[in-house]
Amino acid sequence: MPPSAWPAPITTVPVQLHRAGAAAHTQQRVLASEVPIALVFNGISHAVMMGTPLDLEDFALGFALSEGIIDSAADCYGIEVEPVAAAAAGLPEGMDGLEVQLEIASRCFVRLKDH
């Protein structure tokens, strides 16, 4: 699924500023979005965390390496990112997320399941 179908990584929101002795006024502020990101290894969900929906393939590969799920990048055969509707994930309306699916070597998957 193309990144254009994912939740926006940044958003602009109005913020009302209040200062003592001055009238309140509104400014636009740019904020990083945070969405639920599920990491799925060989079809089995392993972890869900909140994160900004950018560079998710790199994020997932780095997670797998740092957690010792895989020994090297060569143990990952493919990564796909798919949007997940809030209703499908049992989340509140408007909290759409992403699922990062990694295909990893069988020996690494066996080790993950044993862990």
Side-chain angles (χ1 to χ4, degrees):
M1 179 84 36
S4 61
W6 302 351
I10 58 170
T11 185
T12 303
V13 297
V15 176
Q16 195 170 52
L17 301 173
H18 300 271
R19 292 201 175 107
H25 66 283
T26 302
Q27 290 183 345
Q28 296 292 320
R29 297 290 171 103
V30 176
L31 301 175
S33 297
E34 282 202 340
V35 300
I37 300 169
L39 297 175
V40 179
F41 295 90
N42 292 6
I44 306 294
S45 183
H46 177 70
V48 177
M49 57 204 65
M50 298 298 286
T52 300
L54 288 173
D55 303 320
L56 292 176
E57 293 87 353
D58 293 337
F59 171 74
L61 189 59
F63 178 90
L65 286 165
S66 67
E67 291 295 312
I69 296 169
I70 60 176
D71 300 317
S72 73
D75 291 328
C76 182
Y77 303 139
I79 302 175
E80 290 188 27
V81 180
E82 296 289 331
V84 177
L91 296 169
E93 184 178 333
M95 188 178 261
D96 296 334
L98 295 163
E99 185 175 271
V100 184
Q101 303 166 8
L102 297 92
E103 278 301 313
I104 62 173
S106 296
R107 66 178 168 70
C108 297
F109 186 59
V110 168
R111 185 174 62 214
L112 177 61
K113 288 192 326 185
D114 287 345
H115 183 4

